[in-house]
Amino acid sequence: MDKVKNLTHKKNSNYTPQITKDTHVQYMKGVGPARSKILERLGIKILEDLLFYFPWRYEDRKSLKKINELSYGNIETTMCEVLSAEVITTPRKKMKIFEITVTDQTGFLKSKWFNQPYLERYFRKGQKVILSGVVKGNPYSRSGLEMENPDFELVGDEDKFIHTSRIVPVYKATEGISPKQIRTLMFNAVNNYLFLIDDYLPEEVLKRHGLKPLPGAVKEMHFPEEFTDVASLNKGSSPAHRRLAFDEFFLLELGLALLKKKEVLEHGISFKVENYLVDKLLKSLPFQLTGAQKRVIAEIMSDMQRPVPMNRLIHGDVGCGKTVIALVSMLIAVENGYQACLMAPTELLAEQHFINIHKMIETLGLKIVLLTSSSKGKPVDDISQGTAQIVIGTHALIQEQVKFNKLGLAIIDEQHKFGVVQRANIRRKGFNPDILIMTATPIPRTLAITLYGDLDISIIDELPSGRKPIITKVFFPAQKDRIYSLIKDELSKGRQVYIVYPLIEESEKLDLKSAIDGAEALKKIYPDRKVGLVHGRMLRDEREIVMAQFKSGEIDILVATTVIEVGIDVPNASLMLIVHAERFGLAQLHQLRGRIGRGGYDSYCLLMSYPPFSEEAKRRLKAMESTGDGFKIAEEDLEIRGPGDFFGTRQSGIPDLRVANIIRDINVLESARKEAFAFIDAEPDLKSYPLLKETLQKKWMGRLELVKS
Ligand code: ADP
Ligand code: MG
């Protein structure tokens, strides 16, 4: 049996299929099965993937500098010949340093690599090499010029055309293949297979936006010849980059336009807004709604009355009061005889919502249930029989076995953890229920509109009155005593305190231990205070008890891992200490801080940080100290992290943006968006553009259904 298999396998690998853009890269000259496995790690399977694997930077090797032209302190690139190479072991620390001396007739240059003795085998005397790194060394000493850990590339005479004397692309590589090897492969691919790329954009679009044809743009991305300003290339602002960025945005926005179109065409529930329950609720609240809350509620009511399913994003900073808005909308659904559900990203948050909402509607006589992955039996039955009118839960809500009797409204809290795809899943739980998404991830408005182009957006830009700004300050380990006395002051004023420990997956156990140790230490420091501990590993019941004790004031100090990130509401808590603040992301720090400052007291957020830490961490801490405004924080976060990471496009189920940058290319995004929406408006099934249609479906990996025009 095995023999037969082998034979057929052999036969297959000898057979060269006709080359198309879908041909597996292993059939390409210079690849083969072993290397194609390596390429697969870079996401390259077929020829098209290879051609669309773009460099992350460019190097100008047209005018490589001579050694005597190198300037100190700059990153420079030079080509020279190896004169000598040796491994030196430092006497004290036993560190191995690999050192070479190179020359190019104009001078000498030393290069050192630390703890990489294996480099020895690459450098023979006489070997030509390109070195790129920061030029160091004392100009007044004899030791001359040096580079530490430079990037290097060995060059042979045959390499002249691909790897030198031009602007060369530098690719992200992986174990088993070097940037240079990828460059060679790419050179062959571009020369032989460029013709396989079809331009799927209609001629008139290219004209309107002054875009290059696709094959030419791909070629220029790899081996720039027409446009050779290396600084612009590295900024991603060449005409080729613009073409590819346009494509990414256009395909993204086409998809969003289509999703929106489809929803508009669908029949939804037309709710009657009589506000019997709503008025009762509002009368029982201890506060007046803010203007922004009233405005958003009015927008929701008008959506719910329309016979088209609502698809609205509510966007407002932590603490602006989104929960009441959610509750009001749920009551409208319930008044109309429908069920409403609220889905939260974590179990703890779902519990908190459940407890809060339960309390708010106690007097209304409604049945509300909690469904998480740890609930069994009963809630599922209540949901399917329709006795549960309001359902609060986690992802568990969209599981197969959960059947709603009559779901009319689904609310998703914290949109950044759910995506387009999950939204579709929840929609299937009812007959086109209305959908409301609430997010505290502040995104600049223009971006929100373009990115969530299929949603209507409401913004809450007003916090309830009586909130005081939170004083935020970075502390270092040497200032522990100062922190303890600040905590003591707050406690003696009758306030409560959060102490947050990081919980990072790789070191989960360790972090958990430090939170437990932290709680023990605090008990000793404040022997007359009650210290509680919550973390993600606790059973729900235990956690609920501790949370309830904190809320009621029985516990003074709550030590927690980041499970408290969202949704917890204890107005009497006025101080938060975040331990290892340098390890947290900016959005997360801002979310955490939003837990305090809710009771009208002066509040303090202390960021305990342990140096040394990265430049980025420094910027995050600084941003926290300097502003409490979620939108400013978001902009800073975007700048620090870069947009790809910020939006987590992969998770959210929308196509990747690889070339396009939402900030840098905002103008391209806007024109691509307009174009895309016009296209879908005119011809939602893209009948006249089969190639574009195929590309679109591929990009969205089958998650889009085209609408008949
Ligand atoms: P978030 O938008 O972060 O989800 P919440 O809905 O949890 O905010 O509200 C934060 C706190 O503000 C809660 O204690 C809530 O009761 C309170 N709150 C909401 N709206 C108002 C208001 N209009 N006036 C005063 N307090 C309010
Ligand atoms: Mg909330």
Side-chain angles (χ1 to χ4, degrees), residues 70-123:
L70 301 181
S71 30
Y72 290 97
N74 287 356
I75 296 179
E76 302 267 32
T77 305
T78 179
M79 181 158 70
C80 25
E81 211 174 288
V82 177
L83 209 58
S84 66
E86 60 183 331
V87 175
I88 300 165
T89 308
T90 59
R92 268 208 252 133
K93 290 188 174 166
K94 298 272 177 257
M95 196 190 325
K96 283 196 158 61
I97 301 175
F98 175 62
E99 190 178 292
I100 61 173
T101 305
V102 296
T103 182
D104 69 351
Q105 320 308 327
T106 75
F108 299 93
L109 170 73
K110 265 196 170 58
S111 290
K112 292 177 174 171
W113 288 269
F114 298 95
N115 289 325
Q116 300 174 59
Y118 61 87
L119 288 177
E120 199 176 6
R121 69 184 130 117
Y122 296 121
F123 297 89

Side-chain angles (χ1 to χ4, degrees), residues 174-192:
T174 180
E175 205 186 328
I177 193 160
S178 70
K180 185 184 169 194
Q181 287 167 319
I182 298 180
R183 190 183 305 133
T184 306
L185 265 184
M186 204 61 87
F187 191 75
N188 292 334
V190 167
N191 275 321
N192 296 317

Side-chain angles (χ1 to χ4, degrees), residues 64 106 139 229 357 436 538 549 560 578 590 652 665 670 673 680 688:
L64 291 176
T106 75
D229 172 2
I357 291 177
L436 195 62
M538 280 163 87
Q549 285 175 331
I578 303 180
H590 179 67
S652 65
D665 304 322
E670 272 157 16
R673 174 178 168 79
I680 295 301
S688 334

Side-chain angles (χ1 to χ4, degrees), residues 323 353 413-414:
T323 316
H353 273 314
D413 195 8
E414 304 303 335

Side-chain angles (χ1 to χ4, degrees), residues 269-279 281-282 289 293-308 310 312 314 324-333 335-336 409 434 436 458:
I269 306 156
S270 171
F271 293 98
K272 287 205 182 69
V273 175
E274 284 169 355
N275 286 344
Y276 169 68
L277 291 172
V278 176
D279 288 343
L281 168 78
L282 295 182
L289 294 179
Q293 283 171 321
K294 283 186 195 151
R295 191 192 70 234
V296 172
I297 288 176
E299 284 165 348
I300 293 171
M301 284 179 174
S302 116
D303 278 1
M304 290 183 75
Q305 284 169 313
R306 284 170 34 209
V308 172
M310 169 168 74
R312 183 170 287 278
I314 299 189
V324 186
I325 296 178
L327 184 52
V328 166
S329 346
M330 293 201 280
L331 292 181
I332 296 171
E335 275 183 348
N336 281 264
L409 169 72
D434 280 359
L436 195 62
S458 297

Side-chain angles (χ1 to χ4, degrees), residues 226-240:
E226 291 165 21
F227 184 92
T228 55
D229 172 2
V230 85
S232 303
L233 283 164
N234 277 325
K235 268 190 261 154
S237 53
S238 74

